[in-house]
Amino acid sequence: MFNLKTVMRFEILRTLKKQSFWLSILLPPIIIAIISGIMVFSNKASSDQLKQLASGSDRIVIIDQSGKVSKEAFQGEHAFAKATDKDSAISDVKHGRKDAVIFIPKQVGEQPVEVYAKDENIFNNNRYETMAQQLLKSSVNSKIDAADQQIIAGKLQTNSTFYRNGHQYDPIGSMIIPAAFLILLYIVLMTFVNPILTSTSEEKENRVTEMILTTIQPRTLIFGKILSIVILAAMQIIIMTLMTIVTYLVLDKTAGVPLDMVKHIQIEPVRIAMSALISTAGFAFFAGLVIAVGAAVPTAKEAGSFLGVLMTLFYVPLYFIMLIISTPDALLVRIISLVPLTSPMPLLIRNATGNLPLGEGLLAAGILIVSAGITFWIAIRLFHYGSIEYNKVLSLKAIFYKEKRS
């Protein structure tokens, strides 16, 4: 027990001292905050730009041969300038007397609307095209009943109620928490798989392992590493969650970003427990595989090549994500949901979308748990016998042969 605590303390403190660990925690919420801030700023800038255009609309000339532009566009405080002579209006733009000319042909549906404007910059030059489209759209809509406008625009208000097993069911609200486990597993694997591999292989490559194993059992060392990773992962998840919540609360107060998603969260204990079970078993399985690879290969460089193959297998189901969501009962989906190397991702996706039967989920989770146990058993033996093998990849046959001889 003392040795286990010593290993855990060493691994945790070593990781906490690394800048990469803190960057992996702090960067995602900061990136979310920056992107949200940019979106808010862009929307505000666009709104200010439209107000600026509206206040200076007398410098924008409209030549309407179609007769579709409403009279209100040429009336009031922010009226557009009206003209009939196209060449004269374009000359005014060339000499800076007007900002733009929008020429609307008689057959506007068949002929293009022409825009002549002074150059602003590559990002602002298309604003007059947008203005022309909005002007025609608002003019035509003003002649149509409000209800007909909504029908044509496809913006009818609808209230949908769904039922599952005789009870009212919200597909989106019930999906949020189970889907969060998929994101968390992805983040944890991306953050900690490489450190686990590096820790195992580098200690072996630097010949530190053979000294450590003189005082610590291989089983104790491996479980100490895994438990420390679990504690660090929990710390990462808690800090990231708190930072994300704070970011949304700040944006909600300063920029009016709605928190409607939070209000619609539904708690389904069975599905949440299933996602937690699959995520934990999936992490344990891949952690065991990574430790086994780190113990079997002689150098960290070779271990990195094997890691790429393992993580590719984990992400392969993303290529079939539409098949997993739309036809969860397909044979291919069932197969990749039961094979431990590929199952965590499709199982979590199916569970999040409510397409994973309880029996199948328990069976797949059981296979993952048993597989995780087997990988740990193999990893312990590889670690024990491979700690002093520096020239070649250790094979399972050699392990079992040495086990029998001992």
Side-chain angles (χ1 to χ4, degrees), residues 37-255:
I38 292 173
M39 291 175 63
V40 170
F41 176 78
S42 299
N43 292 335
K44 186 177 183 300
S46 299
S47 177
D48 292 342
Q49 189 179 80
L50 289 175
K51 290 179 181 178
Q52 183 180 0
L53 282 175
S55 63
S57 55
D58 60 331
R59 293 183 59 81
I60 300 173
V61 179
I62 306 296
I63 302 176
D64 179 28
Q65 293 186 348
S66 67
K68 294 186 180 296
V69 179
S70 63
K71 296 178 180 179
E72 287 77 7
F74 306 104
Q75 300 173 356
E77 183 181 357
H78 303 301
F80 292 99
K82 188 175 184 179
T84 55
D85 189 340
K86 180 179 177 182
D87 294 332
S88 176
I90 293 174
S91 177
D92 288 341
V93 172
K94 289 180 179 179
H95 294 89
R97 292 186 291 269
K98 295 294 181 180
D99 291 339
V101 174
I102 298 176
F103 176 76
I104 303 172
K106 187 174 183 179
Q107 303 294 333
V108 66
E110 300 175 2
Q111 298 174 319
V113 174
E114 299 174 16
V115 175
Y116 304 89
K118 67 176 184 179
D119 179 60
E120 298 286 348
N121 57 60
I122 191 172
F123 299 104
N124 289 331
N125 283 341
N126 66 339
R127 60 183 179 172
Y128 296 109
E129 297 176 11
T130 303
M131 177 180 288
Q133 294 175 2
Q134 292 297 324
L135 177 63
L136 284 168
K137 184 177 180 179
S138 60
S139 297
V140 173
N141 283 341
S142 65
K143 303 173 185 177
I144 303 175
D145 180 77
D148 293 339
Q149 291 180 24
Q150 290 185 336
I151 294 173
I152 294 172
K155 295 182 179 179
L156 284 175
Q157 295 183 0
T158 57
N159 291 321
S160 301
T161 303
F162 301 97
Y163 295 92
R164 173 174 284 191
N165 300 324
H167 300 283
Q168 189 171 330
Y169 174 72
D170 182 0
I172 302 298
S174 61
M175 182 178 70
I176 295 172
I177 296 180
F181 281 95
L182 174 63
I183 298 171
L184 290 176
L185 178 61
Y186 173 83
I187 293 174
V188 169
L189 285 178
M190 288 292 292
T191 305
F192 292 107
V193 163
N194 193 59
I196 293 173
L197 181 67
T198 303
S199 171
T200 306
S201 56
E202 282 187 350
E203 286 176 358
K204 176 182 173 180
E205 190 174 0
N206 297 331
R207 311 226 170 166
V208 176
T209 304
E210 58 186 86
M211 292 184 288
I212 295 175
L213 292 180
T214 59
T215 57
I216 300 176
Q217 291 292 325
R219 183 184 296 103
T220 303
L221 184 58
I222 287 178
F223 279 115
K225 289 178 178 291
I226 293 298
L227 290 175
S228 64
I229 292 297
V230 170
I231 293 172
L232 290 167
M235 185 186 302
Q236 181 190 37
I237 291 167
I238 292 171
I239 295 174
M240 288 180 61
T241 302
L242 290 175
M243 288 189 64
T244 303
I245 292 172
V246 169
T247 301
Y248 272 107
L249 290 176
V250 170
L251 289 173
D252 182 50
K253 291 185 178 296
T254 59

Side-chain angles (χ1 to χ4, degrees), residues 221-354:
L221 184 58
I222 287 178
F223 279 115
K225 289 178 178 291
I226 293 298
L227 290 175
S228 64
I229 292 297
V230 170
I231 293 172
L232 290 167
M235 185 186 302
Q236 181 190 37
I237 291 167
I238 292 171
I239 295 174
M240 288 180 61
T241 302
L242 290 175
M243 288 189 64
T244 303
I245 292 172
V246 169
T247 301
Y248 272 107
L249 290 176
V250 170
L251 289 173
D252 182 50
K253 291 185 178 296
T254 59
V257 177
L259 298 176
D260 291 342
M261 183 180 71
V262 178
K263 299 176 183 177
H264 292 291
I265 290 179
Q266 286 190 351
I267 307 297
E268 292 195 13
V270 175
R271 284 174 64 184
I272 294 173
M274 181 65 72
S275 288
L277 179 63
I278 293 169
S279 300
T280 305
F283 172 74
F285 174 71
F286 275 92
L289 278 180
V290 170
I291 292 175
V293 169
V297 298
T299 64
K301 184 177 180 180
E302 289 184 65
S305 301
F306 282 97
L307 177 63
V309 175
L310 292 178
M311 298 315 296
T312 299
L313 291 172
F314 176 77
Y315 295 121
V316 158
L318 286 177
Y319 292 101
F320 310 104
I321 188 168
M322 294 309 299
L323 179 66
I324 295 171
I325 294 173
S326 59
T327 54
D329 295 327
L331 179 61
L332 177 61
V333 175
R334 288 182 178 274
I335 292 173
I336 62 176
S337 296
L338 293 175
V339 177
L341 285 169
T342 58
S343 65
M345 189 77 75
L347 287 174
L348 289 171
I349 293 172
R350 291 175 64 191
N351 189 55
T353 55

